[in-house]
Amino acid sequence: MKKYKIIANKNLKVGKIEKELYSSFIEHLGRCIYGGIYEPTHPTSDEDGFRKDVLDVVKDLDLELIRYPGGNFVSGYFWEDGIGPRENRPVRREEAWHSIETNAIGTDEFMKWVKKANCTPMMALNLGTGTIENAVNLVEYCNSNGNGKYANLRRQYGDKDPYNIKYWCLGNEMDGDWQIGHMPVEDYITKAHEISKLIRQIDPNLKLIACGSSTIDMPTFPSWDRKVLEGLYDDVDYLSVHQYFFESTTENDFYASYLAMEKYITSLRSVLNYVKAHKKSKKDIYLCFDEYNVWYNVNPLRDDWQIAPPINEEFQSLKDTIVFGGLINSLLNNCDIIKIACLAQLVNVIAPIMTENNGRLLLNTIYYPFLNATKYNRGETLKTFVVDGDQFDSRYGKAYYISQAITVNDEELVINISNYAKEESNVEILLTDFNKMKLINHSAMFGDDMDARNTFDNPYNVVPIDMKNTVKVEKEKVTIQLKPQSWNCIRLKIN
Ligand code: AHR
Ligand code: AHR
């Protein structure tokens, strides 16, 4: 049995958990849009062709922002293809994912869908093939109340009122050679600056997000991030970063993904602080972690140029799920600088929600910890210190066999723990200044087969289970018994 001692104090907090920390992402990629959110022939579809079965489970997640339309897709996307009467919209070769784009869904349909999902839009601009003019026109189309051509086009095709989209990404992963229109950092800064300058004239209330690094492994990390911040400090509000994890070396390295994420964020924190100090600025720029997940790249790129081919359709395993829990913990533990985080993606592509064309819907294993986070981990994160416990060696350094995040709001204290050890573990948490705690429940995901998944024919194979007699609550102390290799959430009533 492995043992851990953790301490936390009621008044020692990381910070507030912004509602935007629970955001997601839909891209014109594979079957995310077509066959995912939109399928007019599906029995559940509404008058706009949106799948209601998908909308229902998206609404349950209570997400804040939905990033759109990409991803790599956006860097070759001409947004004017996607407005106006459908029969006039061009069908195009889509270069990022080697697919055929019908443009049946565009900006106006996205706005309708996002509203039905009770979410807020976060739009990405094309800084690859797109010109400064294209970007400015899109912002005019969406947000202008004036009498210009594009505001009037919106009145004609979309809505008489401006959409007032606040969050705008200045491109996607522009540091990567795979990106359409990838460019040296200096060129990116120039283009992003020119666009931000002009679009802020249309709407001074925009929140702008600059491209930081696509992964921690980029040869240009973290100098790309430093240069982008130095060049765009006064233009933007957030730096976007991405990271996906998969089991590439050892199982232990994979389990240490939470530590890798933590170290990535720590480095970015240093870069943010460095540039702020160097600029002698009073302004803070925050991180927008707008793509994260476990991702194996199954059935990735195809060369048959189809409409909505299955790409990156993943059925995450139990093992992936406890790693995923660790990623959420790292986000929560850094919520003072991570103000936005988008799970990539939402439907069919590296997603918690899967669909069959004209058929069933499935909740992948990671849907459950994600739902749990958005439901219960609201409020603030407490600082936690593991003062004693078993560790293993990983490529990121020594890692504890558990990762944890503790959050608190007026009613509840919520303890999230992933246990990576192959044996039962005992966790003793000293929670000073909390003296009236009462267990609500301990929910866990575990099992003998770490490769177990949910499938359309066995959809509830891996789901959370309510545990019995695993938590002891004493004055200021909670002791928890964890199953081997498990994801756990323990909710306690306070006050
Ligand atoms: O989410 C899948 C892809 O991952 C996105 O299109 C891109 O931004 C990243 O490389
Ligand atoms: O596809 C290349 C890279 O892989 C990037 O897109 C990154 O996000 C992913 O890890």
Side-chain angles (χ1 to χ4, degrees):
M1 160 125 41
K2 299 222 181 306
K3 289 191 170 165
Y4 307 88
K5 274 206 170 72
I6 297 175
I7 55 174
N9 177 280
K10 191 176 178 179
N11 302 304
L12 216 52
K13 289 165 181 166
V14 176
K16 179 170 182 262
I17 302 161
E18 300 295 342
K19 52 190 188 321
E20 289 81 11
L21 196 76
Y22 301 122
S23 298
S24 191
F25 168 36
I26 56 173
E27 175 171 1
H28 286 245
L29 192 187
R31 297 190 311 117
C32 181
I33 303 292
Y34 306 110
I37 68 159
Y38 175 74
E39 196 173 40
T41 51
H42 193 270
T44 71
S45 282
D46 67 10
E47 66 287 358
D48 294 312
F50 297 131
R51 282 183 66 150
K52 277 196 197 136
D53 57 344
V54 173
L55 269 172
D56 284 345
V57 291
V58 170
K59 279 193 276 190
D60 287 344
L61 287 171
D62 193 11
L63 299 172
E64 187 57 28
L65 302 177
I66 302 289
R67 181 170 176 251
Y68 173 86
N72 296 340
F73 169 81
V74 77
S75 299
Y77 180 51
F78 187 57
W79 69 269
E80 286 187 56
D81 289 348
I83 58 166
R86 276 212 174 102
E87 59 277 17
N88 299 341
R89 298 185 190 179
V91 171
R92 292 220 195 236
R93 289 171 79 247
E94 195 289 292
E95 306 280 350
W97 301 105
H98 297 197
S99 304
I100 295 298
E101 175 56 54
T102 63
N103 286 302
I105 293 286
T107 305
D108 301 310
E109 291 79 22
F110 167 65
M111 288 306 299
K112 273 191 186 158
W113 184 83
V114 106
K115 213 168 159 186
K116 290 184 182 188
N118 299 333
C119 300
T120 305
M122 169 163 149
M123 206 65 127
L125 291 167
N126 175 358
L127 268 79
T129 60
T131 62
I132 296 171
E133 192 187 1
N134 299 148
V136 174
N137 292 346
L138 176 57
V139 176
E140 182 195 333
Y141 184 87
C142 293
N143 286 16
S144 169
N145 205 11
N147 200 21
K149 169 179 169 184
Y150 289 94
N152 282 326
L153 270 184
R154 183 202 64 245
R155 289 186 188 101
Q156 189 180 342
Y157 300 142
D159 203 319
K160 62 176 185 0
D161 298 319
Y163 293 139
N164 289 325
I165 301 175
K166 191 161 136 192
Y167 294 91
W168 292 85
C169 305
L170 299 170
N172 176 70
E173 296 190 343
M174 296 306 294
D175 61 332
D177 190 41
W178 61 87
Q179 200 67 210
I180 298 173
H182 158 64
M183 55 182 81
V185 70
E186 293 75 17
D187 296 5
Y188 172 68
I189 292 166
T190 304
K191 192 163 177 180
H193 170 72
E194 290 308 310
I195 291 174
S196 87
K197 191 173 72 186
L198 298 177
I199 63 180
R200 281 196 191 281
Q201 290 173 18
I202 300 173
D203 184 346
N205 299 319
L206 303 179
K207 296 278 182 199
L208 301 184
I209 301 145
C211 289
S213 284
S214 304
T215 85
I216 196 170
D217 301 313
M218 295 300 290
T220 49
F221 172 78
S223 68
W224 171 282
D225 305 74
R226 173 181 60 78
K227 290 176 187 167
V228 164
L229 286 169
E230 285 177 347
L232 297 172
Y233 209 84
D234 297 327
D235 293 314
V236 303
D237 304 280
Y238 302 88
L239 181 76
S240 146
V241 289
H242 296 171
Q243 187 69 46
Y244 294 97
F245 297 90
F246 65 107
E247 190 170 351
S248 56
T249 48
T250 63
E251 184 178 66
N252 272 352
D253 282 348
F254 184 43
Y255 281 149
S257 296
Y258 76 91
L259 182 64
M261 184 122 159
E262 182 73 46
K263 291 201 162 182
Y264 189 27
I265 298 165
T266 303
S267 305
L268 289 160
R269 195 183 273 282
S270 306
V271 179
L272 290 169
N273 285 336
Y274 168 84
V275 179
K276 183 179 176 185
H278 180 65
K279 291 260 174 196
K280 319 266 181 296
S281 177
K282 287 200 166 63
K283 174 180 172 182
D284 282 307
I285 290 189
Y286 295 105
L287 293 181
C288 170
F289 218 119
D290 51 25
E291 289 186 32
Y292 71 92
N293 206 343
V294 170
W295 180 17
Y296 290 88
N297 245 316
V298 293
N299 51 27
L301 213 54
R302 300 154 52 116
D303 268 317
D304 50 0
W305 301 85
Q306 297 290 315
I307 297 172
I311 304 179
N312 292 323
E313 302 206 354
E314 312 247 344
F315 294 84
Q316 300 93 3
S317 66
L318 174 58
K319 189 193 281 181
D320 297 332
T321 305
I322 64 170
V323 168
F324 178 78
L327 305 183
I328 298 274
N329 291 343
S330 297
L331 293 175
L332 286 169
N333 287 329
N334 291 280
C335 69
D336 59 325
I337 58 161
I338 304 177
K339 300 280 180 180
I340 303 175
C342 303
L343 172 63
Q345 299 188 2
L346 189 57
V347 189
N348 287 335
V349 172
I350 345 171
I353 302 163
M354 302 296 292
T355 66
E356 290 173 328
N357 285 342
N358 285 310
R360 296 170 287 182
L361 174 143
L362 169 76
L363 300 178
N364 259 331
T365 52
I366 62 162
Y367 182 87
Y368 297 99
F370 191 48
L371 174 71
N372 191 88
T374 70
K375 236 179 158 164
Y376 302 118
N377 287 287
R378 301 277 182 176
E380 295 171 295
T381 308
L382 292 186
K383 288 197 174 167
T384 51
F385 303 89
V386 183
V387 288
D388 193 15
D390 288 297
Q391 291 179 305
F392 61 88
D393 289 313
S394 78
R395 58 188 277 221
Y396 314 109
K398 281 217 175 298
Y400 286 108
Y401 279 98
I402 56 166
S403 77
Q404 79 292 331
I406 303 182
T407 65
V408 66
N409 57 43
D410 291 344
E411 283 104 47
E412 286 187 22
L413 180 93
V414 182
I415 303 167
N416 310 276
I417 312 181
S418 277
N419 178 23
Y420 308 110
K422 289 196 167 98
E423 53 196 282
E424 289 223 352
S425 300
N426 180 281
V427 183
E428 198 181 287
I429 311 178
L430 190 63
L431 287 151
T432 53
D433 291 337
F434 288 99
N435 42 30
K436 266 196 205 150
M437 299 182 287
K438 197 168 168 268
L439 181 67
I440 301 172
N441 83 326
H442 173 188
S443 170
M445 291 171 86
F446 59 93
D448 297 331
D449 178 9
M450 295 312 290
D451 208 35
R453 289 151 214 273
N454 294 339
T455 59
F456 283 101
D457 294 326
N458 192 3
Y460 303 108
N461 192 27
V462 192
V463 293
I465 289 171
D466 274 341
M467 308 298 283
K468 297 270 169 293
N469 305 321
T470 47
V471 183
K472 194 165 121 201
V473 185
E474 294 160 277
K475 190 177 182 299
E476 299 201 333
K477 194 166 107 183
V478 177
T479 311
I480 310 159
Q481 207 60 25
L482 303 176
K483 287 281 187 194
Q485 297 177 303
S486 57
W487 168 87
N488 302 270
C489 174
I490 298 97
R491 291 168 54 217
L492 298 144
K493 199 167 163 31
I494 51 172
N495 300 322

